[in-house]
């Protein structure tokens, strides 16, 4: 692809690239997210004060451990209450020379934020303030005035940019004024690249998207010095004690000792796996504690992040189905996990509170012995039936029973019929997955997101033996050899050192997701040696590891899969691209929002997908692989040489699913960020060949549908080249499974091997990709998993 102007969002990439390469996250902005200030990030990611020996300036900042770049800030004194804050700060970026450019967003997210980027050019630093409202290359930001301070330099090992930034604490955006939270806690974001910018002498140079990014917690309220000290530093002066303006009074009152309540079961994570598990355990009368690192989501759970147009209607972003697409272009997406470098929901409901809500009952093949499930799991249907009874699906979610915005359904149905597909009601016939299509099925009810939060969590919360806590980050399990005695959290009000104990026969169930559960295991001394060594080298985490003789070596993080997926973008004159969903949060079509507010009906009661289809394909290795397709109005990116009508675009995403043979690996880096160490897509070239075949089949009869036009790829690119040149990170489908595969890391009762009382129930135990978007399969797995845990002797 080479360098290009629109480098943050390179041509041919699809939406998922945001998850891997841009900054999808940001700190909170509303009441529910405020409690993130309770530091849900592991301590190892929190910054603090340090003095730069070159200039004597005391900065508050952080050296991220992977690329070893330091980002620091220092502010003038906080204004007296009621007065406006000063609008400047001094900052620095100190980077090893391998850093070809680095960037910092003090506000903590890429969109709508002050972004400072810098790189070396010969012996000088070239830098700029930039801004963007979308995940594209940020461009010059008007307002900020940058002055380089004298200690900026480039030498053979490092470059350092020390700067004063004026008009930089607050800035205007189309959505109002944004500010750095100078009087409280913030989560700045950094971006890093090993690829040089296109024209290093030009501050406005284009450059390719960052290779890496991350976050750290910073107490901005502490990062202030006296005006005299600040004035000295901003004028290039050095040294001087940092006369802090905040005086801390040490209280001598002794707090009463914290007492901890023991539980029969501690479930970690309130995603689909954790909610089913916790509900069923509490239903059985056990004393259950469910811990969730994030905050509330839907209105019913206490979430209050609502669009202005729904004021007074008790509806949040997580309630209104059509707001799904706005998850990806919000300036303050506090719901993404900040220490997982792909999309993952860190809030009540986990992924099910932010996902597309496609809900497909698992076919028999999801649990067939050939897929890696133990034979004893073969009779799985009763568990799916239990789930279906609790959470029914609907493919006509509007409260008036009508379907809306169905043009893409009609066009895609015409195409598929020509290839011998039959229309079915998808969840009436879960095993019919070859040449079948139907209306997209969702977990919505009464015009709103429902999922496990609206069902399982609700019944659990009604029981006196069930306790749910938000904003509690589980760092590790506490264990003595094989016996788990409790969990260590970041919340010291819950027990001495944040440790919550188990009752004598108690058990812990990890449901922290395909990235979160492996990380907890590594931090508990369970996993491959290289991962435990990373924990050992982390000053904050290492003291919590058990003695080395008690490490449990298991392939945690291996055998990972996710669907490789490719977007095809089309136009058709009948299609309403629904403004590509862009205005739904701020400025929706008035008739549609009014209809929804009045009766829960209309376009707003559905997500974005309109049609799903499946077929089987055979590979040159004699194996069968299934392909799933999802059709939706709009598109994340269009690359075409054709003129086209943007109001008529729609996307078919093709996912390769059950049967894929590629596998990857999940692990942590030195910052304890969970990430794919080996990407799971196309490690077997036959997967790629089969997907290309499937894509070619999808468009094989395109000329039989009058007016239908494929615009991405266009006729200058063959399908094979389109797939070959697809950004690898963009193949991500957010359907990660397998990092604690059953029979490899957990036994057939979901118990972690070589432990007495530690279990995992979430996407991570699924040994092979399910047929469809996975959350229904995950919940149904949890139904069987928790039944087995309850049946297993020796428990509470
Ligand atoms: N799946 C579907 O079936 N249909 C869809 O339409 C669909 N769409 C999406 C989607 O649009 C996006 C953007 C994403 C990211 C995923 C989608 N998926 C879809 C996938 C589906 O949501 C996931 O496969 C599913 O949620 C995974 O379920 P798990 O139970 O395995 O894990 P989660 O990540 O949902 O939940 C883990 C929970 O643990 C979170 O709430 C997290 O905050 C919490 N947690 C993690 N670490 C923790 C810790 N250390 N301490 C306390 N809590 C922790
Ligand atoms: C899923 O299962 C996928 O994980 C999501 O990626 C997908 O949504 C939903 N279901 C709905 O089909 C897409 C959005 O439609 C895009 O707009 C978004 O950019 C993309 O997810 C991000 O991965």
């Amino acid at each position: 692809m080479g360098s290009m102007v629109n480098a943050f969002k390179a041509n041919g990439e699809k939406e998922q690239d945001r998850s891997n390469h841009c900054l999808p996250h940001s700190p909170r902005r509303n009441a529910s997210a405020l409690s993130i200030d309770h530091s849900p990030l592991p301590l190892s990611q929190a910054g603090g004060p340090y003095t730069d020996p070159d200039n004597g300036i005391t900065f508050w900042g952080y050296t991220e451990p992977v690329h070893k770049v330091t980002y620091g800030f220092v502010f003038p004194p906080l204004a007296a209450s009621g007065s406006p804050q000063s609008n400047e700060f001094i900052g620095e970026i100190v980077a090893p020379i391998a850093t070809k450019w680095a960037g910092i967003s003090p506000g903590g997210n890429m969109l709508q934020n002050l972004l400072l980027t810098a790189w070396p050019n010969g012996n000088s630093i070239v830098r700029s303030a930039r801004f963007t409202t979308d995940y594209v290359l940020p461009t010059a930001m008007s307002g900020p005035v940058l002055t380089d301070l004298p200690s900026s330099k480039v030498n053979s090992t490092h470059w350092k940019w020390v700067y004063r930034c004026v008009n930089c604490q607050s800035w205007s955006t189309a959505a109002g004024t944004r500010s750095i939270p100078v009087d409280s806690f913030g989560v700045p974001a950094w971006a890093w690249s090993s690829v040089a910018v296109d024209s290093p002498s030009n501050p406005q140079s284009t450059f390719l998207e960052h290779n890496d990014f991350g976050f750290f917690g910073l107490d901005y309220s502490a990062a202030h010095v006296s005006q005299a000290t600040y004035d000295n530093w901003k004028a290039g002066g050095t040294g001087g004690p940092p006369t802090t303006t905040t005086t801390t009074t040490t209280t001598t009152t002794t707090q009463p000792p914290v007492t901890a309540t023991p539980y029969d079961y501690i479930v970690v994570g309130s995603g689909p796996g954790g909610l089913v598990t916790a509900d069923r355990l509490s239903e059985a009368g056990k004393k259950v504690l469910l811990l969730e690192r994030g905050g509330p989501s839907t209105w019913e759970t206490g979430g209050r992040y609502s669009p202005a147009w729904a004021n007074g209607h008790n509806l949040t972003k997580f309630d209104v189905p059509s707001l799904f697409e706005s998850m990806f272009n919000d300036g303050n997406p506090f719901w993404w996990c900040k220490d997982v470098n792909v999309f993952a929901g860190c809030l009540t409901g986990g992924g099910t509170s932010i996902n597309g809500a496609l809900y497909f009952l698992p076919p028999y093949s999801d649990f067939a012995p050939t897929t890696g499930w133990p034979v004893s799991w073969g009779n799985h249907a009763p568990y799916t039936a239990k789930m279906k009874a609790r959470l029914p699906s609907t493919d006509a979610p509007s409260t008036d029973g009508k379907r809306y915005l169905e043009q893409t359904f009609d066009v895609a149905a015409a195409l598929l019929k020509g290839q011998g597909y039959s229309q079915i009601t998808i969840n009436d016939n879960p095993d019919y997955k070859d040449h079948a299509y139907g209306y997209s099925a969702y977990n919505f009810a009464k015009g709103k997101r429902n999922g496990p939060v609206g069902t399982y969590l609700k019944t659990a919360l009604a029981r006196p033996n069930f306790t749910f806590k938000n904003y509690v980050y589980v760092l590790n399990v506490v264990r003595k050899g094989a016996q788990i005695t409790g969990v260590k959290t970041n919340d010291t009000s819950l027990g001495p050192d944040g440790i919550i104990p188990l009752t004598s026969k108690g058990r812990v169930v990890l449901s922290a997701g395909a990235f979160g559960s492996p990380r907890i295991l590594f931090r508990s001394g369970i996993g491959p040696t290289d991962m435990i060594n990373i924990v050992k080298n982390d000053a904050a985490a290492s003291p919590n590891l058990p003695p080395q003789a008690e490490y449990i070596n298991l392939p945690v993080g291996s055998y990972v899969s996710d669907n490789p997926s490719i977007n095809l973008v089309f136009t058709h004159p009948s299609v309403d691209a629904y403004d590509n969903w862009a205005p739904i949060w701020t400025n929706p079509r008035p008739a549609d929002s009014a209809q929804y507010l009045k009766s829960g009906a209309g376009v707003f009661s559905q997500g974005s997908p309109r049609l799903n289809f499946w077929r089987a394909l055979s590979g040159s290795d004699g194996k069968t692989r299934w392909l799933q397709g999802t059709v939706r109005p709009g598109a994340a990116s269009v690359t075409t040489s054709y003129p086209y009508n943007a109001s008529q675009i729609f996307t078919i995403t093709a996912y390769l699913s059950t049967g894929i043979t590629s596998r990857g690996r999940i692990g942590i880096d030195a910052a304890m960020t969970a990430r794919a160490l080996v990407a799971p897509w196309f490690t077997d070239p036959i997967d790629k060949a089969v997907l290309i075949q499937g894509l070619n089949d999808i468009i094989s009869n395109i000329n039989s549908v009058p007016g239908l036009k494929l615009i991405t790829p266009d006729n200058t690119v063959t399908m094979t080249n389109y797939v070959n040149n697809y950004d690898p990170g963009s193949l991500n489908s957010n359907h990660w499974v397998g990092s604690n595969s059953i029979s490899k890391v957990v036994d057939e009762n979901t118990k972690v091997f070589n432990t007495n009382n530690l279990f995992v129930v979430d996407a991570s135990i699924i040994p092979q990709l399910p047929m469809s978007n996975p959350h229904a399969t995950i919940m149904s797995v949890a139904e069987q998993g928790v039944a087995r845990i309850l049946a297993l002797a020796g428990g509470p």
Side-chain angles (χ1 to χ4, degrees):
M1 259 174 240
S3 322
M4 55 190 72
V5 178
N6 191 356
F8 266 69
K9 188 83 177 68
N11 289 346
E13 293 178 359
K14 68 170 187 181
E15 50 258 71
Q16 279 88 346
D17 61 357
R18 293 171 191 167
S19 63
N20 263 8
H21 303 294
C22 290
L23 298 173
H25 317 300
S26 86
R28 66 249 136 318
R29 61 165 270 176
N30 69 336
S32 64
L34 258 181
S35 315
I36 287 183
D37 292 355
H38 299 162
S39 184
L41 292 170
L43 295 175
S44 58
Q45 281 183 241
Y50 67 92
T51 301
D52 181 332
D54 270 356
N55 48 37
I57 299 177
T58 296
F59 290 98
W60 276 258
Y62 175 72
T63 303
E64 59 80 11
V66 179
H67 311 292
K68 307 211 166 22
V69 180
T70 301
Y71 303 90
F73 307 95
V74 58
F75 295 82
L78 281 168
S81 118
S83 314
Q85 295 294 350
S86 139
N87 201 10
E88 64 170 280
F89 64 87
I90 295 169
E92 71 172 6
I93 298 179
V94 189
I97 207 76
T99 304
K100 290 300 163 51
W101 64 264
I104 184 82
S105 165
N109 174 39
M110 184 165 154
L111 302 188
Q112 312 282 7
N113 265 290
L114 166 71
L115 307 173
L116 297 165
T117 52
W119 54 83
N121 178 39
N123 286 329
S124 50
I125 301 288
V126 177
R127 73 325 186 245
S128 55
R130 298 183 179 224
F131 188 78
T132 179
T133 55
D134 200 355
Y135 293 103
V136 295
L137 181 68
T139 50
M141 180 176 187
S142 59
V145 179
L146 293 169
T147 314
D148 298 337
L149 296 180
S151 47
S152 301
K153 65 177 181 192
V154 182
N155 66 23
S156 59
T157 63
H158 284 77
W159 56 267
K160 176 186 290 204
W161 177 40
V162 188
Y163 59 92
R164 176 183 175 202
C165 193
V166 175
N167 301 329
C168 291
Q169 285 193 19
S170 298
W171 53 94
S172 316
T173 74
T177 301
R178 298 258 173 163
S179 307
I180 302 171
V182 290
D183 57 354
S184 63
F185 192 87
V187 188
W190 55 266
W192 183 90
S193 181
S194 58
V195 181
V197 306
D198 299 328
S199 59
S201 61
N202 177 3
Q204 297 309 329
S205 173
T206 53
F207 45 78
L208 285 175
E209 193 177 336
H210 41 82
N211 304 131
D212 201 3
F213 68 87
F215 302 86
F216 55 96
L218 195 64
D219 184 2
Y220 280 122
S221 72
H224 299 262
V225 291
S226 72
Q227 195 63 54
T229 303
Y230 185 86
D231 288 346
N232 175 34
W233 290 343
K234 83 178 186 204
T238 60
T243 12
T244 46
T245 50
T246 39
T247 41
T248 0
T249 19
T250 357
T251 51
T252 45
T253 30
T254 332
Q255 299 294 322
V258 182
T259 48
T261 310
Y263 290 87
D264 293 339
Y265 281 93
I266 300 175
V267 180
V268 182
S270 70
L275 286 177
V276 172
T277 304
D279 179 51
R280 294 297 184 194
L281 291 171
S282 63
E283 181 186 46
K286 311 299 175 190
K287 188 169 176 188
V288 178
L289 174 65
L290 174 61
L291 298 174
E292 168 53 50
R293 62 181 285 188
S297 49
T298 56
W299 187 277
E300 202 169 21
T301 63
R304 293 296 177 266
Y305 190 45
S306 305
W309 56 261
N311 238 338
H313 288 267
N314 298 1
L315 292 167
T316 67
K317 192 179 195 93
F318 315 104
D319 288 289
V320 182
S322 68
L323 289 176
F324 164 64
E325 289 291 340
S326 78
M327 299 293 170
F328 306 102
N329 57 13
D330 190 293
N332 274 302
F334 57 85
W335 47 92
W336 302 125
C337 308
K338 294 190 173 62
D339 52 9
V340 176
N341 91 329
V342 293
F343 287 131
C346 268
L347 74 177
T348 298
T352 59
S353 290
I354 52 85
N355 72 13
L358 289 175
Y359 180 67
F360 299 117
L361 301 180
Y364 168 81
S365 65
D366 275 6
F367 295 92
T370 49
T371 60
W373 284 101
V375 178
S376 61
W377 278 67
N379 180 25
H380 188 77
Y383 300 101
T384 300
K386 281 179 93 172
M387 171 188 77
K388 190 178 161 191
R390 293 294 306 274
L391 180 59
S393 78
T394 173
D395 64 8
S398 178
T399 51
D400 59 8
K402 296 185 190 150
R403 297 192 180 92
Y404 292 81
L405 200 69
E406 290 297 338
Q407 304 89 348
T408 57
F409 179 93
D410 297 334
V411 174
L415 186 69
L416 296 171
K417 263 188 247 160
Q419 294 163 34
Y421 282 73
S422 306
Q423 182 173 349
I424 61 166
T425 299
I426 296 166
N427 281 335
D428 282 357
N429 212 341
D431 288 330
Y432 189 169
K433 285 288 186 294
D434 192 10
H435 286 87
Y437 72 90
Y439 292 108
S440 300
Y442 312 100
N443 69 29
F444 304 139
K446 298 185 184 144
K448 292 197 281 188
R449 189 183 287 272
N450 190 28
V453 169
T455 51
Y456 291 87
L457 178 59
K458 221 159 147 175
T459 44
L461 283 170
R463 297 188 187 106
N465 54 323
F466 175 81
T467 307
F468 178 48
K469 289 201 178 294
N470 277 120
Y471 301 120
V472 180
Y473 191 104
V474 172
L475 298 161
N476 54 275
V477 300
V478 183
R479 68 182 176 94
K480 257 200 135 7
Q483 189 68 23
I484 314 307
T485 57
V487 297
K488 184 170 167 73
T489 73
N490 66 340
D491 189 339
T492 48
S493 72
L494 298 176
D497 288 332
I499 292 174
I500 310 172
L502 290 171
T503 54
S504 67
K505 292 178 174 172
R507 292 166 166 172
V508 171
V509 184
L510 301 181
S511 301
F515 288 83
S517 289
R519 174 169 39 205
I520 296 172
L521 290 172
F522 302 146
R523 296 186 67 151
S524 309
I526 301 172
T529 311
D530 58 349
M531 293 295 106
I532 300 179
N533 279 343
I534 291 179
V535 180
K536 224 167 152 180
N537 289 330
D538 183 273
S542 124
N544 298 324
L545 281 171
Q548 189 157 344
E550 294 180 12
Y551 291 174
I552 300 173
N553 191 320
L554 288 171
V556 176
S558 297
Y559 311 107
V560 166
S561 29
D562 173 53
N563 312 93
S565 59
I566 297 278
N567 285 340
L568 301 177
V569 185
F570 302 82
T571 55
H572 189 272
S574 72
V575 163
D576 176 358
Y578 210 61
D579 313 309
N580 211 3
W581 306 92
I584 38 172
W585 177 254
T586 44
N587 189 22
R589 293 188 190 178
D592 291 342
S593 52
Q595 181 187 19
Y596 181 73
L597 292 178
K598 190 164 162 239
S599 60
V603 179
F604 273 54
S605 63
Q606 288 185 243
S608 59
R610 287 297 183 273
L611 178 148
N612 290 92
F613 63 93
W614 288 262
R615 66 162 297 185
L617 289 155
S618 4
S620 58
D621 54 4
K623 293 181 177 148
T624 302
R625 291 165 176 80
W626 274 262
L627 180 145
Q628 182 196 339
T630 298
V631 181
R632 71 166 182 102
S637 71
V638 175
T639 306
T640 190
S641 57
Y642 302 141
Y644 68 97
N645 184 340
S647 64
Q648 297 175 352
I649 55 174
F650 73 100
T651 302
I652 299 183
T653 306
Y655 300 86
L656 203 61
S657 70
T658 302
I660 68 166
T661 38
S662 296
R663 292 290 184 275
R665 184 182 175 200
I666 282 174
I668 51 174
D669 62 24
M672 300 269 171
T673 295
R675 53 171 71 229
L677 302 176
V678 178
W681 319 283
F682 299 153
T683 58
D684 180 349
I686 300 178
D687 282 345
K688 188 194 266 189
V690 172
L691 184 50
I692 292 171
Q693 182 194 332
L695 290 162
N696 278 323
D697 286 353
I698 290 172
I699 55 164
S700 56
N701 60 330
I702 186 163
N703 293 334
S704 69
V705 183
L708 180 59
K709 192 161 180 186
L710 177 67
I711 60 168
T712 302
D714 64 18
N715 67 353
T716 64
V717 185
T718 63
M719 194 59 86
T720 302
N721 283 343
Y722 183 57
V723 174
N724 279 336
N725 294 328
Y726 220 71
D727 174 78
S730 303
L731 295 166
N732 179 8
S733 296
N734 312 304
H735 296 163
W736 303 82
V737 298
S739 48
N740 293 308
S741 280
I742 199 156
S743 306
K744 309 277 192 200
V745 173
V746 299
D747 67 15
E748 63 183 351
N749 294 313
T750 76
K751 184 165 71 66
V752 177
F753 285 118
N754 301 322
T755 69
N756 298 336
N757 55 342
L758 178 59
F759 298 79
V760 183
V761 180
D762 60 19
S764 71
I765 67 170
I766 297 179
Q768 156 153 333
L769 268 180
M771 181 65 75
S772 318
N773 314 60
H775 90 264
T777 300
I778 295 165
M779 291 173 63
S780 141
V781 162
E783 285 282 12
Q784 176 157 188
V786 68
R788 283 167 177 270
I789 294 171
L790 281 165
L792 189 67

